[in-house]
Amino acid sequence: MKKNYYAVLMAGGIGSRFWPTSTSEFPKQFHDMLGSGETLLQKTFKRLSDFIPKENILVLTNERYNDLVLQQLPMVKPSQLVLEPAMRNTAPCILYAALKIQKMDPDAVMIVAPSDHWIEDEEAFSKDVIECFDRCEKESVLCTLGIKPTFPNTGFGYIEYEKGKDENLKNVLQFREKPDYNTAREFISQGNFLWNAGIFMWSAKAILDAFKNYQPQQYSLFEVGIPVLNTDDEQAFIKQQYPKADNVSIDYAILEPAKNIYVLPANFDWNDLGTWGSLYDKLEKDEHNNAVVNCRLLSENSTGNIIRSPKGKIVVVDGLNDYIIVDKEEVLLIYPKSKEQDIKKVLSGVKEKFGDQYI
């Protein structure tokens, strides 16, 4: 564990595809989605703290989740929270966090990690990240972890890397948008495509140099506040400047135009837990292939369902196959797994008909 190792734990999303469990007031990263006894945020913090000093882990979240983070991570000081006053995608918040980290330690190397991923082999994860850190300490490079595809998934972006070199870290040729099914099959057949897991490693200096080169206006917006970062005056500056930032992803802003990018094919099992279906894949199943969280289930002629309810509640299901069933206080969702990507659209209808207090 080295003192110049830092992490930015991304915990600001809403996770709308996990509605009704995940809401804007209480998003999925603050829930124990797998019934494991720990929330996704807690599991991710613990995973990172295996090789990064706890005091060097910054939690990046929306300001409305300040209290939730501190409740779930009592070992974290308020000064470790990087609070967004407005939703502006991933580029501005990563720039903000990198400036804070560089001011703390000019030699810092850092990982940017989502709070909602499921990683089983945490030792392999640590080794992969440290291998990238070693490269980042020696060279001005931007590194990412790619996941070896197991099927033609159309829900992920892909990373195409240069063939023919034996090195573990591969030169990235380009980032590819989420493909259609036939294109995904073609990617996999070529053998040099990985799923983009959204996990990044770089030195604070390298990523800030990249912002200077590719996002100079964005960099200038935050640069004027460097003297007040990590002081009592930081929040006043951020409240004024942050809403002016462009709403742009780190992929589009930096990774697509940059040339010094490397990808390491990950040596661990990974699931992005982005939908109820992906959660179903990771949960244990009963003899009828139903995945159950919290409740007690009696099922007849029902297979392939994911069922979540308040702890201990008895749920009876008959004649239902491949459905999402979520019982939460004033909301009951019974929805086909095959249409899980449409749950975001459902929220618009719920908001229009019943009000936004349910979303």
Side-chain angles (χ1 to χ4, degrees), residues 244-265:
K244 301 175 186 176
D246 290 338
N247 190 340
V248 60
S249 71
I250 192 71
D251 299 62
Y252 182 81
I254 302 297
L255 301 178
E256 289 184 12
K259 307 300 180 191
N260 58 334
I261 305 184
Y262 292 82
V263 62
L264 178 66

Side-chain angles (χ1 to χ4, degrees), residues 19-20 308 325-334:
W19 184 83
R308 181 187 175 100
I325 304 167
V326 184
D327 183 16
K328 185 201 169 193
E329 298 161 356
E330 296 138 313
V331 178
L332 172 64
L333 176 74
I334 304 172

Side-chain angles (χ1 to χ4, degrees), residues 121-227:
D121 190 342
E122 299 191 339
E123 185 177 344
F125 170 77
S126 300
K127 287 180 179 177
D128 283 354
V129 174
I130 290 170
E131 181 173 350
C132 291
F133 275 177
D134 289 345
R135 184 68 172 267
C136 294
E137 286 183 305
K138 296 169 187 170
E139 300 176 40
S140 181
V141 294
L142 310 177
C143 295
T144 183
L145 297 178
I147 309 300
K148 298 162 190 171
T150 53
F151 67 99
N153 195 313
T154 59
F156 299 145
Y158 285 70
I159 302 168
E160 181 183 359
Y161 63 84
E162 186 178 348
K163 288 182 179 179
K165 292 190 177 180
D166 292 333
E167 299 162 341
N168 290 343
L169 277 155
K170 317 288 188 184
N171 288 2
V172 171
L173 295 176
Q174 59 181 324
F175 288 80
R176 305 291 287 266
E177 298 293 331
K178 295 175 184 177
D180 59 30
Y181 181 77
N182 289 332
T183 305
R185 285 184 60 190
E186 176 62 25
F187 286 171
I188 291 175
S189 70
Q190 290 184 38
N192 63 324
F193 281 80
L194 302 166
W195 289 337
N196 183 359
I199 303 171
F200 308 111
M201 287 76 41
W202 38 56
S203 67
K205 183 180 185 305
I207 189 60
L208 292 175
D209 285 345
F211 270 99
K212 290 176 191 176
N213 289 336
Y214 304 114
Q215 293 286 314
Q217 287 183 309
Q218 194 100 285
Y219 183 82
S220 297
L221 186 71
F222 288 89
E223 182 185 26
V224 295
I226 290 175

Side-chain angles (χ1 to χ4, degrees), residues 20-21 276 293-295 306-311 313-315 324-334:
T21 295
W276 285 112
V293 181
N294 295 334
C295 59
I306 178 168
I307 303 153
R308 181 187 175 100
S309 80
K311 201 164 188 67
K313 191 167 189 176
I314 294 173
V315 177
I324 301 160
I325 304 167
V326 184
D327 183 16
K328 185 201 169 193
E329 298 161 356
E330 296 138 313
V331 178
L332 172 64
L333 176 74
I334 304 172

